[in-house]
Amino acid sequence: MRYELTIFGQPTGKGRPRFTRLGHAYTPEKTKEYENLVRGTFISSYPKAIPLEDAVRAEVVAYYAIPTSYSKKKKQECLYGHIQVQNKPDCDNIAKIILDSLNGYAYIDDKQVVELHVIKMWSHEPRVEVNIEEV
């Protein structure tokens, strides 16, 4: 079984938990919103999906918008891969928010992910493409 989905919009990373003055932890609102977007995209793409039970391989490709301040030449270099994306969020934070969001939907738990590949690239259309398949 294989799941493929595209989450449109600027890639977002998993935010650190925040704490109240009383010491209670909570998830930042921006993180919750993006997790809901990922889940909603998955559910609309695979309404009758059954979570995978075996080990899975995941590939996450995050496409960042090229800054408008870049010259035409620099924009072309970005698209051809001559200039690498070194913007935040980090690859591990992108993977974390995607994998956590799909817990119980694409697979039972993200501990099943035995292979993970994360790539950051430039594009005219910011998005995150996710491929999940059983090993």
Side-chain angles (χ1 to χ4, degrees), residues 70 73-86 120-122:
Y70 281 10
K73 181 181 177 188
K74 198 168 182 180
K75 287 179 183 180
Q76 286 297 335
E77 289 177 348
C78 289
L79 290 174
Y80 292 138
H82 299 292
I83 298 175
Q84 299 295 317
V85 179
Q86 295 180 16
K120 290 167 53 171
M121 300 177 72
W122 294 111

Side-chain angles (χ1 to χ4, degrees), residues 18 42 50 69 89 113-114 117 119 124 128:
R18 303 291 179 208
F42 181 82
I50 298 170
S69 61
V113 178
V114 296
H117 194 182
I119 303 169
H124 290 300
V128 177

Side-chain angles (χ1 to χ4, degrees), residues 45-63:
S45 299
Y46 301 96
K48 297 181 181 188
I50 298 170
L52 303 173
E53 295 180 4
D54 293 326
V56 297
R57 171 185 304 127
E59 181 180 83
V60 179
V61 184
Y63 293 92

